Amino acid sequence: MPGISRKVAAALAVSASTALLATACTGQSSSGAEDDASKDTTITFWHAWSAPNEVAGVKALIAGFEKAHPNIHVNVVGNMTDDKMNQALRAGGSKAPDVISSFTTNGVGKFCSSGALVDLNPLFEKAGIDPATTFPKAMSEYTQYDGNRCAVPLLGDAYGLYYNKTAFQKAGITSPPKTWSEFEADAKKLTVPQGDTYKQLGFMPDYHGWETTTDHYMGQFGPTYFDASGKSTIATDPAVAGAFAVQKKLVDDLGGFKKLEKFRSGLGDEWGPKHPFQTGQVAMQMDGEWRLGMALDAKPDFEIGVAPLPVPDDQADQYGKGYITGTIAGIAATSKKQNAAWELVKYITTDTDAVVGFSNAIHNVPSTLAALKSPKLKYDPRFKTFLDIAANPDSSTSPASINGGVYLTTIQQLGYDYESGKVTDLQAGLKKAAAQIDTDIAQAK
Amino acid sequence: MAATYTLRAKHRRSRLRTLAFLSPWLIGFTVFFAYPMISTVYFSFMHYDGFKPPTWVGTKNWKYVFESYPFFWPALRNTLWLVVIMVTLRVLFGLGIGMLITKIKTGTGVFRTLFYLPYLAPPVAATMAFAFLLNPGTGPVNSMLESIGIPAPGWFNDPSWSKPALTLMFLWGVGDLMVIFMAALLDVPKEQYEAAQLDGASAWQRFRFVTLPNISPIIMFAVVTGVIAAMQCYTQPLVAGKVASGVIQGAGTSFQPGYPEYSTLTLPQLVYNLGFQRFDYGSACVVALVLFALSMAFTALLMRRRGGLIQAGD
């Protein structure tokens, strides 16, 4: 083979594989539906639940819907990730979902702004349902972007404080902390060193650990994230700097980043029975309401206490609030059966008995104000803490953004850099992160 | 006149026959290379999220990736690190193991199998096993190092050790190269070694002047395929970073590949992040094109510099 031909052939062979990476840079979508929801039809519902009790809960929820709507049959597909849903929403086709349910609220802004999910405002209006009076404030907020309500809350998650009551008694602490100063003092009292590691750590403050993400923390500080013009406020809102400062102080006071990271790397799986709170390795844990059932199932040898997370010292009057997030449901823009799909979405998100039944089955916070007060709601008395956090008007969420959760990832990255000591000037770091968030949003427009 | 016509018709038939034989490749080339390539260049100048019609934005995506996307330069540096360090070590290690196994008299089959087996391990399983072995807190490797007084590294949890940890894992799975090198080494004519020995050549001189020239095409093959594999490295760094970070995607959590401190980010991860998580197809196409250009540049460089590696007439 002549030299030049071989070069060209080799170059083409190399580049062909690379080019394959780029083949997916194309795609099309379509929308619109004129289906008759009173006729016999089958719709497809994708959700993310996978645990056996959760799958059984979904099955019961759908059985209730099919009983109420005998002409609409639902093909349920579980264990779907957001990435798969996003691809299917773009690709469409006969096997694509008509209704999706996602575990994260971070993608709502992207779902709404791109038109991946249909705006449900006209459908709510037609059905005579007012979302503002149906759903708790924070949940109502995180299911819309720029006036477009392309999602509906389908159960919610409220973040609170789990604490080891037995360890508290041993350390002489009589009640859960209400402010971050009290929390810090308690975390130090609860920390029992063992060599160059810990026998018991009061609290695992690293952002990389478990549920301790920046946005979950910041719910306790009430940040705004964006101003009226959509520009990032993280460099100017003192709540954000306050949250970072509290977390960094905890990291430093409890042993330093390296020591904590080494300890964290040896801890058990977040979703398994060896979760460090359940094994007694960590005495306090920031987590969602689902942790109670998981922790009780693990049968720990201590008593579990539950309380709202602390608030900043100057916001003591707002003790009881928390970070709220949850699962969302929406109708695919590519669906040809949007009227039937709406019947399903309406039932699973606004029918009080359906919402309560599903909440009882999977131990999540009900997502309508009526369901939160329903006498049919069965729960451990400690679960009430999360119901109160969800209904608290000061509870907050992270707002929807045009590029989904990219701004949260940027803040999280700053969190990693600040806690590890890579970034030492917090204000400069916040300014840089705010500029990055604005650039990313401009890029998405 | 009639003879000329017959000749032309014959040539035309011949051309058509050639094209017919070439058509499978031509169709494949057009569908799987030319069209995607042109589309990638086209979409790199468009704003496109998969739903709304694409709109022309000029060089905005290029500027964004090179000037504002915070992950591009760290990912490029990491990819280049893997290309240079990991590929070099893999080739040296594969060649070394291959040479050792060809030298031993008995049990060759056992050793060959033992060294080849790790290569068959699925990438995710292999990475998770290494993350377990190299866990700084509970991993047996660090326990052993600590027991003999050697300071234990943070491996996948330390930005300065994460890439060496990845390299270690790739060296463990060097079985493919070992087999290829063994075949090449056994193919070196024995009489050349005998002649060199008679001339008084030392072991190093025999390797330098007999073995190396004979296996140089195979070394070139190993380097080129290694560079391509390193360029496309996606799964192992992603899984290692994810396992080490402890972040599990669930309600309200978000995971940005690259833990710790961008050290395991690679360019293919950015193509996925931009294209299929952010749905910024334009910027994803820019990164894909950078990857393509780099692959081309490395291959061209290796072909041009092959000099002593491949002998004339190969």
Side-chain angles (χ1 to χ4, degrees), chain B residues 78-122:
Chain B
N78 292 337
T79 300
L80 293 178
W81 193 99
L82 292 174
V83 164
V84 176
I85 309 285
M86 190 184 79
V87 173
T88 309
L89 289 176
R90 254 177 70 84
V91 170
L92 290 176
F93 193 61
L95 178 60
I97 298 286
M99 286 179 75
L100 279 176
I101 292 183
T102 51
K103 294 272 184 255
I104 56 173
K105 304 276 185 229
T106 52
T108 315
V110 175
F111 283 107
R112 205 162 39 192
T113 311
L114 281 177
F115 278 103
Y116 189 73
L117 271 177
Y119 175 68
L120 301 175

Coordinates of all heavy atoms in Angstrom, one line a residue, chain B residues 78-122:
Chain B
N78 N -6.2 16.1 31.4 CA -6.3 14.7 31.9 C -6.2 13.7 30.7 O -5.5 12.7 30.9 CB -7.6 14.5 32.6 CG -7.7 15.2 33.9 OD1 -6.7 15.6 34.5 ND2 -8.9 15.5 34.4
T79 N -6.9 14.0 29.7 CA -6.9 13.2 28.5 C -5.4 13.0 28.0 O -5.0 11.9 27.7 CB -7.8 13.7 27.4 OG1 -9.1 13.7 28.0 CG2 -7.8 12.8 26.2
L80 N -4.8 14.2 27.9 CA -3.4 14.2 27.4 C -2.5 13.4 28.3 O -1.6 12.7 27.9 CB -2.9 15.6 27.2 CG -3.5 16.4 26.1 CD1 -3.0 17.8 26.0 CD2 -3.4 15.7 24.7
W81 N -2.7 13.6 29.6 CA -1.9 12.8 30.6 C -2.1 11.3 30.4 O -1.1 10.6 30.4 CB -2.5 13.2 32.0 CG -1.6 12.8 33.2 CD1 -0.7 13.5 33.9 CD2 -1.5 11.5 33.8 NE1 -0.1 12.8 34.8 CE2 -0.5 11.5 34.8 CE3 -2.1 10.2 33.6 CZ2 -0.2 10.5 35.7 CZ3 -1.8 9.2 34.4 CH2 -0.9 9.3 35.4
L82 N -3.3 10.9 30.2 CA -3.6 9.5 30.0 C -2.9 9.0 28.7 O -2.3 7.9 28.6 CB -5.1 9.2 29.9 CG -5.9 9.3 31.2 CD1 -7.4 9.2 31.0 CD2 -5.4 8.4 32.3
V83 N -3.0 9.8 27.7 CA -2.4 9.5 26.4 C -0.9 9.3 26.5 O -0.3 8.3 26.0 CB -2.7 10.5 25.3 CG1 -1.8 10.4 24.1 CG2 -4.2 10.4 24.9
V84 N -0.2 10.2 27.2 CA 1.2 10.2 27.3 C 1.7 9.1 28.3 O 2.5 8.2 28.0 CB 1.8 11.6 27.6 CG1 3.3 11.5 27.7 CG2 1.4 12.5 26.4
I85 N 1.3 9.3 29.5 CA 1.8 8.5 30.7 C 1.2 7.1 30.6 O 1.9 6.1 30.6 CB 1.4 9.1 32.0 CG1 1.9 10.6 32.1 CG2 2.1 8.3 33.2 CD1 3.3 10.9 32.2
M86 N -0.1 7.0 30.5 CA -0.7 5.6 30.6 C -0.4 4.8 29.4 O 0.0 3.6 29.6 CB -2.2 5.8 30.7 CG -2.9 4.5 31.1 SD -4.7 4.7 31.1 CE -5.0 4.6 29.3
V87 N -0.4 5.3 28.2 CA -0.1 4.5 27.1 C 1.4 4.1 27.1 O 1.7 2.9 26.8 CB -0.4 5.3 25.8 CG1 0.1 4.6 24.5 CG2 -1.9 5.6 25.7
T88 N 2.3 5.0 27.5 CA 3.7 4.6 27.5 C 3.9 3.4 28.5 O 4.5 2.4 28.2 CB 4.5 5.8 28.0 OG1 4.2 6.9 27.2 CG2 6.0 5.5 27.9
L89 N 3.3 3.6 29.7 CA 3.5 2.6 30.7 C 2.8 1.2 30.3 O 3.4 0.2 30.6 CB 2.9 3.0 32.1 CG 3.7 4.1 32.8 CD1 3.0 4.6 34.0 CD2 5.1 3.7 33.1
R90 N 1.7 1.3 29.7 CA 1.0 0.1 29.3 C 1.8 -0.7 28.2 O 1.9 -1.9 28.3 CB -0.4 0.4 28.7 CG -1.6 0.1 29.6 CD -2.9 0.5 29.0 NE -3.2 -0.3 27.8 CZ -3.9 -1.5 27.9 NH1 -4.2 -2.0 29.1 NH2 -4.1 -2.1 26.8
V91 N 2.4 0.1 27.3 CA 3.2 -0.6 26.2 C 4.4 -1.2 26.9 O 4.8 -2.4 26.6 CB 3.6 0.4 25.1 CG1 4.6 -0.2 24.2 CG2 2.3 0.9 24.4
L92 N 5.1 -0.4 27.8 CA 6.3 -1.0 28.4 C 6.0 -2.2 29.3 O 6.7 -3.2 29.2 CB 7.0 0.1 29.3 CG 7.6 1.3 28.5 CD1 8.1 2.3 29.5 CD2 8.8 0.8 27.7
F93 N 4.9 -2.1 30.0 CA 4.5 -3.2 30.9 C 4.1 -4.4 30.1 O 4.5 -5.5 30.4 CB 3.4 -2.7 31.8 CG 3.1 -3.6 33.0 CD1 4.1 -3.8 34.0 CD2 1.8 -4.2 33.1 CE1 3.8 -4.7 35.0 CE2 1.6 -5.0 34.2 CZ 2.5 -5.2 35.2
G94 N 3.3 -4.2 29.1 CA 2.8 -5.3 28.2 C 4.0 -6.0 27.6 O 4.1 -7.2 27.6
L95 N 5.0 -5.2 27.1 CA 6.1 -5.8 26.5 C 7.0 -6.5 27.5 O 7.4 -7.7 27.2 CB 7.0 -4.6 25.8 CG 8.3 -5.1 25.2 CD1 8.0 -6.0 24.0 CD2 9.0 -3.8 24.6
G96 N 7.1 -6.0 28.7 CA 7.9 -6.6 29.7 C 7.3 -7.9 30.1 O 8.0 -9.0 30.2
I97 N 6.0 -8.0 30.4 CA 5.3 -9.2 30.8 C 5.5 -10.2 29.6 O 5.7 -11.4 29.9 CB 3.8 -9.0 31.1 CG1 3.7 -8.0 32.3 CG2 3.1 -10.3 31.4 CD1 4.0 -8.6 33.6
G98 N 5.2 -9.8 28.4 CA 5.3 -10.6 27.2 C 6.7 -11.3 27.2 O 6.9 -12.5 26.9
M99 N 7.8 -10.5 27.4 CA 9.1 -11.0 27.3 C 9.4 -12.0 28.4 O 10.0 -13.1 28.2 CB 10.1 -9.8 27.4 CG 10.2 -9.0 26.1 SD 11.4 -7.7 26.3 CE 12.9 -8.6 26.1
L100 N 8.9 -11.7 29.6 CA 9.1 -12.6 30.8 C 8.5 -14.0 30.5 O 9.1 -15.0 30.7 CB 8.6 -12.0 32.0 CG 9.4 -11.0 32.8 CD1 8.7 -10.4 33.9 CD2 10.8 -11.6 33.2
I101 N 7.3 -13.9 30.0 CA 6.5 -15.2 29.8 C 7.2 -16.0 28.6 O 7.2 -17.2 28.7 CB 5.0 -14.9 29.5 CG1 4.4 -14.4 30.9 CG2 4.3 -16.2 29.1 CD1 3.0 -14.1 30.9
T102 N 7.7 -15.3 27.6 CA 8.3 -16.1 26.6 C 9.6 -16.7 27.0 O 10.1 -17.7 26.5 CB 8.6 -15.2 25.3 OG1 9.4 -14.1 25.8 CG2 7.4 -14.8 24.6
K103 N 10.2 -16.2 28.1 CA 11.5 -16.7 28.6 C 11.3 -18.0 29.5 O 12.1 -18.8 29.6 CB 12.2 -15.6 29.5 CG 12.6 -14.4 28.7 CD 14.0 -14.6 28.0 CE 14.5 -13.4 27.3 NZ 14.4 -13.5 25.9
I104 N 10.1 -18.0 30.2 CA 10.0 -19.1 31.2 C 9.8 -20.4 30.4 O 9.2 -20.5 29.4 CB 8.9 -18.9 32.2 CG1 7.6 -18.6 31.6 CG2 9.3 -17.8 33.2 CD1 6.4 -18.5 32.5
K105 N 10.3 -21.5 31.1 CA 10.3 -22.8 30.4 C 9.0 -23.5 30.6 O 8.4 -24.1 29.7 CB 11.5 -23.7 30.9 CG 12.8 -23.0 30.7 CD 13.4 -23.2 29.3 CE 14.8 -22.7 29.2 NZ 14.9 -21.8 28.0
T106 N 8.5 -23.5 31.9 CA 7.3 -24.3 32.2 C 6.2 -23.4 32.7 O 6.5 -22.3 33.3 CB 7.6 -25.4 33.2 OG1 8.2 -24.8 34.4 CG2 8.4 -26.5 32.7
G107 N 5.0 -23.9 32.5 CA 3.8 -23.1 33.1 C 3.5 -21.9 32.3 O 2.8 -21.0 32.8
T108 N 4.0 -21.8 31.0 CA 3.7 -20.6 30.2 C 2.2 -20.4 30.1 O 1.7 -19.3 30.3 CB 4.3 -20.8 28.8 OG1 5.6 -21.3 28.9 CG2 4.3 -19.5 28.1
G109 N 1.4 -21.5 29.9 CA 0.0 -21.4 29.7 C -0.7 -20.8 30.9 O -1.6 -20.0 30.8
V110 N -0.3 -21.3 32.1 CA -0.9 -20.8 33.3 C -0.7 -19.3 33.5 O -1.6 -18.5 33.7 CB -0.3 -21.5 34.5 CG1 -0.8 -21.0 35.8 CG2 -0.6 -23.0 34.4
F111 N 0.6 -18.8 33.3 CA 0.9 -17.4 33.4 C 0.2 -16.6 32.4 O -0.3 -15.5 32.7 CB 2.4 -17.2 33.4 CG 3.1 -17.5 34.6 CD1 3.9 -18.7 34.7 CD2 2.9 -16.8 35.8 CE1 4.5 -19.0 35.9 CE2 3.6 -17.1 37.0 CZ 4.4 -18.2 37.0
R112 N 0.2 -17.1 31.2 CA -0.5 -16.4 30.1 C -2.0 -16.2 30.4 O -2.5 -15.1 30.3 CB -0.4 -17.2 28.8 CG -0.4 -16.4 27.5 CD 0.1 -17.1 26.3 NE -0.3 -18.5 26.3 CZ 0.3 -19.4 25.5 NH1 1.2 -19.0 24.7 NH2 -0.1 -20.7 25.5
T113 N -2.6 -17.2 30.9 CA -4.0 -17.1 31.3 C -4.2 -16.2 32.5 O -5.1 -15.3 32.4 CB -4.5 -18.5 31.7 OG1 -4.2 -19.5 30.7 CG2 -6.0 -18.5 31.9
L114 N -3.3 -16.3 33.5 CA -3.4 -15.4 34.6 C -3.3 -13.9 34.3 O -4.0 -13.1 34.8 CB -2.4 -15.7 35.7 CG -2.6 -17.0 36.5 CD1 -1.5 -17.3 37.5 CD2 -3.9 -16.8 37.3
F115 N -2.4 -13.6 33.4 CA -2.2 -12.2 33.0 C -3.3 -11.8 32.0 O -3.6 -10.6 31.9 CB -0.8 -12.0 32.4 CG 0.3 -11.8 33.4 CD1 1.1 -12.9 33.7 CD2 0.4 -10.6 34.1 CE1 2.1 -12.7 34.7 CE2 1.3 -10.5 35.1 CZ 2.2 -11.5 35.4
Y116 N -3.9 -12.7 31.3 CA -4.9 -12.3 30.3 C -6.2 -12.1 30.9 O -7.0 -11.3 30.5 CB -4.9 -13.3 29.2 CG -5.8 -12.9 28.0 CD1 -5.4 -11.9 27.1 CD2 -7.1 -13.4 27.8 CE1 -6.1 -11.4 26.1 CE2 -7.9 -12.9 26.8 CZ -7.4 -11.9 25.9 OH -8.2 -11.5 24.9
L117 N -6.5 -12.9 32.0 CA -7.9 -12.9 32.6 C -8.4 -11.5 33.0 O -9.5 -11.2 32.7 CB -7.9 -13.8 33.8 CG -8.3 -15.3 33.5 CD1 -8.2 -16.1 34.8 CD2 -9.7 -15.4 32.9
P118 N -7.5 -10.7 33.6 CA -8.1 -9.3 34.0 C -8.6 -8.5 32.9 O -9.5 -7.7 33.1 CB -6.8 -8.7 34.7 CG -5.9 -9.7 35.1 CD -6.1 -10.9 34.1
Y119 N -8.0 -8.8 31.7 CA -8.4 -8.0 30.5 C -9.9 -8.3 30.2 O -10.6 -7.4 29.6 CB -7.6 -8.4 29.3 CG -8.0 -7.7 28.0 CD1 -7.9 -6.3 27.8 CD2 -8.5 -8.5 27.0 CE1 -8.3 -5.8 26.6 CE2 -8.9 -7.9 25.8 CZ -8.8 -6.5 25.6 OH -9.2 -6.0 24.5
L120 N -10.4 -9.5 30.6 CA -11.8 -9.8 30.3 C -12.8 -9.3 31.3 O -14.0 -9.3 31.1 CB -11.9 -11.4 30.3 CG -11.0 -12.1 29.3 CD1 -11.1 -13.6 29.5 CD2 -11.4 -11.7 27.9
A121 N -12.3 -8.7 32.4 CA -13.2 -8.1 33.4 C -13.9 -7.0 32.8 O -13.3 -6.1 32.2 CB -12.4 -7.7 34.6
P122 N -15.3 -6.9 33.0 CA -16.0 -5.8 32.5 C -15.5 -4.5 33.2 O -15.2 -4.5 34.4 CB -17.5 -6.0 33.0 CG -17.5 -7.5 33.3 CD -16.1 -7.9 33.7

